[in-house]
Amino acid sequence: MNYHEMNERQVEEALNTDFSAGLSDEDVGKRVKQFGSNELEEGEKQSALLLFFNQFKDFMVLVLLAATLISGLLGEYIDAIAIIAIIILNSFLGFYQERRAEKSLSALKELSQPQVQVLRNGTWEKVLSKELVPGDVIKFSSGDRIGADVRIIESRSLEVEESALTGESVPVQKMTESINNPNLTLGDMENMGFMGTMVSRGSGMGVVIATGMKTAMGQIADLLQNAESQITPLQRRLEQLGKILIVTALALTVLVVGIGVLQGNDLYTMVLAGVSLAVAAIPEGLPAIVTIALSLGVQKMIRKNAVVRKLPAVETLGCASVICSDKTGTLTQNKMTVTKVWSSGRTWSVDGTGYEPQGKYYENDQAIDPKNEKVLQQLLTFGMLCNHAEIEQKSGEYVLNGDPTEGAMIVAGMKAGYTRSKLLSQFEIVNEFPFDSTRKMMSVIVKDTTGRQFVVTKGAPDVLIGQSKTILMGNRAENIGSREKNTVQAAIDGLASQALRTIAIAYKEISANTIILHEKEAESELVFIGLQGIIDPPRPEVKQAVRECKEAGIKTVMITGDHVITANAIAKQLGIANSQSKVLEGKELANMSVQELEDVVDHVSVFARVSPEHKLKIVQAFQNRGHIVAMTGDGVNDAPAIKTADIGIAMGITGTDVAKEASSLVLMDDNFASIKSAIIEGRNIYENIRKFIRYLLASNVGEILVMLFAMILALPLPLVPIQILWVNLVTDGLPAMALGLDRPEDNVMKRDPRSPNEGVFARGLGWKVISRGILIGLSTIAAFMLAYNDNPDNLAYAQTVAFATLVLAQLIHVFDCRSEKSILSRNPFGNMYLVWAVLSSLLLVLVVIYVPALQGIFHTVAIQPKDWLMILGLASVPTFLLAGSFLLSKSK
């Protein structure tokens, strides 16, 4: 039997404790040995040194290490040093990002270590919560954090804020009675308190039933330890590219050596030539440029209120196909608001959201003055009097001090022009009967300035109607019969269908000299006034963001601990769900295997009353269906699913430290709409990465073919290794980075997400790389042969001409890489970063050609002015030949 099913005596016996005296010191000592400290365990942490060396496991880094070895064998130590510098730079960047990524359990630990009041040896004392053991009796009041999982044994208007665990924004009213249901979710265990949750109102006592990793929070910590971080699509693609490059490099080395030996060349010479060719095949600057492009994307996203904690997340978000979003505080404002008021068969609407007292009242879409409606006036003012909440203005913002539901009622009255302070100058509160979960009501007795006394009661409508003798209908009170009860029930059902929680208000006048000491006497023969409908409203900008995500082929799914009716109604308002959408509850999920969930998950839009384990199951089911999953959330309960998702998104304002540390992305404004901006940026960054991969690899193919053609034609080497490295690392690097800053296409949010299985060379990229590379190679070898034939005794001059032609061909080709179509389809000045990068690269080439101090290092000589016309003409052929064929095909 579960503890929530037991009565207090059974709990006392099961835990072998004494509710009146607590445990003895001897008992505590034994239980510490048996159960351990009330702390969350941390998983094994990698040392900083090991984390740093793990950066060298990446396949592309291994390729670069091989290039370093090759350069060393060639005796090109400058090359080797340059490559090693790039590897170390990349490793430090990756180390810095990952060092911050595994703090989730530390944040959990800090969250769960308050001081608590515990009953031991018959006296109350304060201890750290880590010293608690099962069987300890503890007490708590408003503002306290509960130090362990407890069974509630005393409740005095006790309400506990559990949104960090359950996702529900409304504090849970706690009771002491047993609940005869073995399959309850955490949110439904109204006689239990959980480690790390906050008491928002009242006070109570509980007996500790679980500590440490056995608590609900401990189980989440365990899930977080065991949750696997996913390899991102970008990492998969770069790994794939690295494998292709290393195979290409090895194949070319073998090919060149074989050709050279067959031609009668010396084996040692040909091995060095083949190794030189392999260096040309490896784009040494690619990992650094990818990292820099992602870092630049991070800076852009910060300006759009999204802080990236893990660099690959920038690109991953761009191919997300499902966003699993928490409801409370993410899709909604986490600020309870009165939006409907019902009385005397009439319904008024109230606009305005949050705690700002700005809004109007409407009846049948016509604005009205609430002070002209006597029954509405009574409903609002009595709701403010029977209330403890305060709305305060701090730094220009209205904030709540008190219970969210009571705060909503205060704001509703303020929108009608009333203030609680002014009402309290007109009415004196002479007695109060606090809310408790048994009565489900709260009452105050007030006296006005003339001495008249009133009982004012608020509470659950079904309870309050039973305690009422009459109901206000217009300006008179009518006796309550079955017809009146049906009218009220219809009003409750109508408000509930709109996801509104209903609070009823009733009153009665008592004689001036009457003193009421018991709530039963106060809360009887009441006059039922009406209902206030309260909701945690959707963020106004979310509906548009959901629609744009839908147009981009991205499904938004709501995952919440809230009730199914509320969740589904909010989802329909936001366009997440429609009448055909499926809704799954936690109890249904609990009985489904991951395989069974996979079969239906694509048709489900709302998951309600879910637990942390359910969230993990949902994310995994979508992933198993081939989706790239983004998971948003703000609570401790969201952290395991956030970590397991392809990209985890935490809320920056309301998010717990645990959620933030488990995430890849943090939204600074807690705004779901910011995800849309991040998706646009993510998609654009991936397209820009494709652009510079196309640019770099086409350049490398050109370099390879120049070397290969020369060997086949038995010519001297057109390029020396240091020239190839200069092109790969410096001359190509600046334009490639500038491509990473290219603006998104207009249709970026009109396309479906990329398939997670899409290869690097998809959508014709492979053909573009090879075709442009062949033309660049042919142009360069042609320039080399023309210069060499003019002056066979000056090999360095011919090599310099080839070097200049190769660079110019690549710098012209970079503008072609901005578009999937042709260089002519986009304005070349649309990316001024690229224009300046090309001019800078051109200047760098001229420097190594014409500065005498550098000519010896780079094996260059000054080119005569008459040869620049030939160089420019040949360098233009690869790009404009293909541009001409594009125009020709378009004209047909």
Side-chain angles (χ1 to χ4, degrees):
M1 185 182 288
N2 297 314
Y3 283 104
H4 69 266
E5 297 178 84
M6 300 179 186
N7 60 37
E8 292 181 25
R9 185 177 176 184
Q10 290 172 316
V11 173
E12 195 172 24
E13 289 177 357
L15 293 167
N16 192 22
T17 188
D18 182 351
F19 289 173
S20 61
L23 298 175
S24 66
D25 290 338
E26 184 182 352
D27 288 332
V28 172
K30 289 178 182 177
R31 296 187 189 204
V32 167
K33 290 179 181 177
Q34 181 182 355
F35 298 105
S37 179
N38 182 30
E39 294 181 287
L40 300 179
E41 297 172 5
E42 295 192 28
E44 287 186 28
K45 287 188 175 181
Q46 289 185 331
S47 67
L49 191 63
L50 186 60
L51 193 61
F52 177 73
F53 282 115
N54 279 344
Q55 306 304 313
F56 295 90
K57 290 182 179 179
D58 182 79
F59 197 83
M60 196 64 187
V61 173
L62 294 176
V63 171
L64 290 181
L65 287 171
T68 307
L69 178 63
I70 289 166
S71 299
L73 290 173
L74 283 168
E76 300 290 342
Y77 300 115
I78 294 175
D79 301 10
I81 291 168
I83 297 170
I84 283 289
I86 287 171
I87 292 171
I88 292 173
L89 173 64
N90 268 294
S91 299
F92 270 113
L93 285 170
F95 169 77
Y96 175 73
Q97 290 293 329
E98 289 188 26
R99 187 64 176 160
R100 299 181 62 236
E102 293 301 326
K103 294 181 180 177
S104 303
L105 292 173
S106 298
L108 265 171
K109 194 172 179 181
E110 290 173 15
L111 186 64
S112 57
Q113 285 301 321
Q115 279 199 327
V116 294
Q117 291 190 75
V118 61
L119 181 63
R120 288 182 179 167
N121 305 304
T123 59
W124 290 99
E125 56 184 274
K126 274 196 170 185
V127 300
L128 286 173
S129 66
K130 68 179 180 180
E131 298 174 23
L132 291 177
V133 294
D136 265 330
V137 176
I138 63 174
K139 65 180 179 181
F140 29 77
S141 57
S142 182
D144 289 343
R145 200 176 287 280
I146 297 177
D149 284 5
V150 298
R151 169 68 160 81
I152 305 295
I153 58 174
E154 184 178 295
S155 173
R156 292 184 294 277
S157 303
L158 179 64
E159 294 184 9
V160 180
E161 168 62 59
E162 296 179 344
S163 62
L165 272 176
T166 66
E168 285 200 60
S169 56
V170 180
V172 179
Q173 299 161 3
K174 294 298 181 181
M175 62 181 190
T176 60
E177 292 79 10
S178 60
I179 305 173
N180 187 23
N181 185 340
N183 299 314
L184 293 181
T185 61
L186 294 180
D188 292 323
M189 294 183 184
E190 295 178 355
N191 57 5
M192 300 287 290
F194 302 101
M195 174 191 274
T197 59
M198 182 76 76
V199 177
S200 60
R201 181 181 177 187
S203 61
M205 285 172 49
V207 59
V208 175
I209 57 103
T211 58
M213 297 302 285
K214 299 294 184 183
T215 62
M217 188 176 286
Q219 290 167 25
I220 292 173
D222 188 52
L223 289 172
L224 200 54
Q225 284 185 22
N226 297 320
E228 295 182 6
S229 297
Q230 300 294 314
I231 183 171
T232 70
L234 179 62
Q235 289 169 324
R236 282 197 293 269
R237 291 183 184 101
L238 289 180
E239 188 173 320
Q240 175 193 31
L241 179 59
K243 290 174 182 176
I244 291 170
L245 292 174
I246 197 70
V247 169
T248 302
L250 291 172
L252 285 170
T253 303
V254 172
L255 179 66
V256 168
V257 170
I259 291 172
V261 171
L262 288 174
Q263 289 179 339
N265 292 309
D266 175 66
L267 178 62
Y268 178 75
T269 303
M270 290 319 300
V271 167
L272 289 180
V275 169
S276 177
L277 188 57
V279 171
I282 300 168
E284 291 87 351
L286 181 60
I289 292 168
V290 169
T291 303
I292 292 166
L294 291 173
S295 298
L296 291 170
V298 166
Q299 298 307 310
K300 285 171 119 179
M301 291 174 85
I302 286 173
R303 293 194 291 272
K304 295 177 180 177
N305 293 315
V307 177
V308 177
R309 297 185 62 256
K310 298 174 184 175
L311 283 181
V314 181
E315 179 269 343
T316 312
L317 188 61
C319 58
S321 55
V322 172
I323 301 175
C324 294
S325 177
D326 188 39
K327 177 181 75 69
T328 305
T330 308
L331 298 171
T332 63
Q333 299 180 34
N334 202 15
K335 294 178 180 178
M336 302 302 287
T337 305
V338 173
T339 59
K340 298 284 184 181
V341 180
W342 179 93
S343 181
S344 302
R346 300 165 65 188
T347 302
W348 294 272
S349 299
V350 194
D351 63 11
T353 57
Y355 299 130
E356 188 173 355
Q358 301 294 325
K360 293 182 179 180
Y361 281 78
Y362 298 85
E363 185 176 18
N364 299 323
D365 298 326
Q366 297 294 317
I368 59 108
D369 183 351
K371 292 184 178 179
N372 293 334
E373 302 286 350
K374 185 177 179 182
V375 69
L376 179 56
Q377 188 182 50
Q378 274 187 300
L379 186 62
L380 295 173
T381 55
F382 282 165
M384 297 180 85
L385 285 171
C386 189
N387 203 308
H388 288 291
E390 293 179 1
I391 300 296
E392 301 172 347
Q393 195 170 10
K394 295 180 179 178
S395 304
E397 183 180 356
Y398 290 90
V399 295
L400 167 69
N401 180 12
D403 178 81
T405 298
E406 291 192 334
M409 298 174 76
I410 292 287
V411 174
M414 293 172 74
K415 288 176 180 177
Y418 303 107
T419 63
R420 191 162 189 267
S421 59
K422 191 171 182 180
L423 286 174
L424 290 176
S425 70
Q426 299 167 356
F427 293 90
E428 176 191 355
I429 296 176
V430 296
N431 199 359
E432 177 180 332
F433 302 102
F435 179 92
D436 71 47
S437 56
T438 304
R439 290 168 33 248
K440 297 187 177 178
M441 286 184 288
M442 169 191 175
S443 298
V444 293
I445 299 176
V446 297
K447 182 191 294 185
D448 68 13
T449 52
T450 65
R452 295 168 68 196
Q453 286 197 126
F454 301 89
V455 175
V456 182
T457 304
K458 78 168 188 290
D462 56 331
V463 176
L464 216 55
I465 194 71
Q467 298 299 112
S468 299
K469 182 179 180 180
T470 58
I471 181 170
L472 281 183
M473 297 300 289
N475 292 322
R476 69 180 190 276
E478 296 182 0
N479 289 330
I480 293 178
S482 58
R483 183 169 63 86
E484 287 74 20
K485 286 184 178 179
N486 290 338
T487 300
V488 173
Q489 189 58 53
I492 294 169
D493 292 342
L495 296 176
S497 68
Q498 301 171 60
L500 299 174
R501 293 179 64 244
T502 49
I503 298 292
I505 307 290
Y507 82 106
K508 71 178 178 183
E509 185 172 353
I510 57 177
S511 61
N513 300 320
T514 301
I515 298 175
I516 297 178
L517 299 177
H518 302 287
E519 61 262 22
K520 283 187 178 180
E521 184 183 352
E523 297 166 350
S524 63
E525 298 190 335
L526 300 169
V527 180
F528 191 93
I529 307 176
L531 307 166
Q532 294 195 28
I534 303 171
I535 193 172
D536 178 10
R539 291 177 176 270
E541 64 281 352
V542 168
K543 188 172 183 178
Q544 173 70 14
V546 169
R547 182 164 61 247
E548 291 188 28
C549 286
K550 190 174 183 179
E551 289 174 356
I554 302 166
K555 178 177 181 175
T556 304
V557 177
M558 179 190 289
I559 302 180
T560 178
D562 216 337
H563 292 279
V564 63
I565 294 174
T566 305
N568 198 30
I570 293 285
K572 285 181 177 177
Q573 287 180 34
L574 293 173
I576 292 172
N578 54 42
S579 55
Q580 283 78 43
S581 302
K582 285 191 175 183
V583 180
L584 275 183
E585 289 191 72
K587 59 186 179 184
E588 297 173 90
L589 277 171
N591 297 321
M592 297 175 77
S593 66
V594 174
Q595 178 62 50
E596 288 172 329
L597 181 56
E598 283 177 37
D599 294 337
V600 299
V601 74
D602 282 330
H603 306 291
V604 179
S605 296
V606 178
F607 295 90
R609 305 301 279 171
V610 297
S611 69
E613 294 87 349
H614 296 152
K615 293 186 178 187
L616 271 178
K617 187 188 283 189
I618 293 163
V619 169
Q620 289 165 348
F622 274 118
Q623 288 174 331
N624 292 346
R625 293 286 294 176
H627 291 286
I628 298 296
V629 181
M631 170 71 192
T632 76
D634 56 2
V636 176
N637 61 320
D638 298 321
I642 284 173
K643 187 175 179 183
T644 301
D646 297 279
I647 174 163
I649 307 170
M651 302 298 112
I653 299 172
T654 59
T656 59
D657 288 344
V658 181
K660 291 174 189 174
E661 294 298 335
S663 69
S664 307
L665 190 76
V666 178
L667 299 182
M668 291 189 292
D669 57 358
D670 283 16
N671 194 338
F672 181 89
S674 296
I675 299 174
K676 179 203 70 177
S677 300
I679 288 172
I680 293 173
E681 195 60 46
R683 288 189 171 193
N684 186 49
I685 284 171
Y686 177 70
E687 291 304 316
N688 288 347
I689 287 173
R690 272 175 53 91
K691 289 173 188 177
F692 62 65
I693 285 176
R694 169 183 168 185
Y695 170 61
L696 290 176
L697 293 189
S699 302
N700 278 46
V701 168
E703 294 163 15
I704 292 165
L705 293 177
V706 168
M707 307 294 281
L708 194 58
F709 291 155
M711 290 178 187
I712 292 171
L713 297 171
L715 293 170
L717 290 179
L719 300 164
V720 296
I722 189 67
Q723 291 172 345
I724 294 171
L725 197 68
W726 180 258
V727 172
N728 286 356
L729 296 182
V730 182
T731 312
D732 286 352
L734 289 174
M737 278 188 278
L739 279 175
L741 294 170
D742 220 4
R743 295 175 182 174
E745 303 275 357
D746 292 337
N747 64 343
V748 69
M749 286 297 279
K750 304 293 183 185
R751 302 193 300 257
D752 286 342
R754 300 183 309 278
S755 165
N757 299 320
E758 179 182 292
V760 176
F761 300 109
R763 290 181 275 149
L765 185 67
W767 165 247
K768 289 185 177 75
V769 167
I770 293 169
S771 60
R772 273 62 166 184
I774 289 172
L775 290 174
I776 289 170
L778 288 172
S779 297
T780 305
I781 197 70
F784 174 74
M785 291 174 69
L786 288 171
Y788 187 63
N789 289 336
D790 278 353
N791 192 354
D793 296 328
N794 193 350
L795 177 60
Y797 187 84
Q799 287 174 332
T800 306
V801 168
F803 174 54
T805 305
L806 176 68
V807 170
L808 268 166
Q810 291 176 1
L811 294 181
I812 295 170
H813 171 244
V814 74
F815 290 98
D816 190 29
C817 294
R818 291 188 64 223
S819 171
E820 294 280 336
K821 298 174 182 177
S822 141
I823 191 174
L824 304 174
S825 63
R826 293 194 79 179
N827 179 1
F829 298 102
N831 183 350
M832 288 307 297
Y833 296 107
L834 183 60
V835 173
W836 290 112
V838 166
L839 291 174
S840 301
S841 293
L842 185 59
L843 180 63
L844 288 169
V845 171
L846 294 175
V847 165
V848 298
I849 289 174
Y850 287 104
V851 174
L854 297 175
Q855 288 175 338
I857 297 172
F858 289 93
H859 309 286
T860 57
V861 294
I863 295 176
Q864 298 174 17
K866 67 180 179 68
D867 287 328
W868 277 108
L869 191 60
M870 174 197 71
I871 290 168
L872 184 60
L874 287 171
S876 301
V877 168
T879 297
F880 288 102
L881 181 68
L882 291 166
S885 65
F886 171 76
L887 284 175
L888 191 63
S889 65
K890 202 171 181 183
S891 65
K892 291 181 180 178

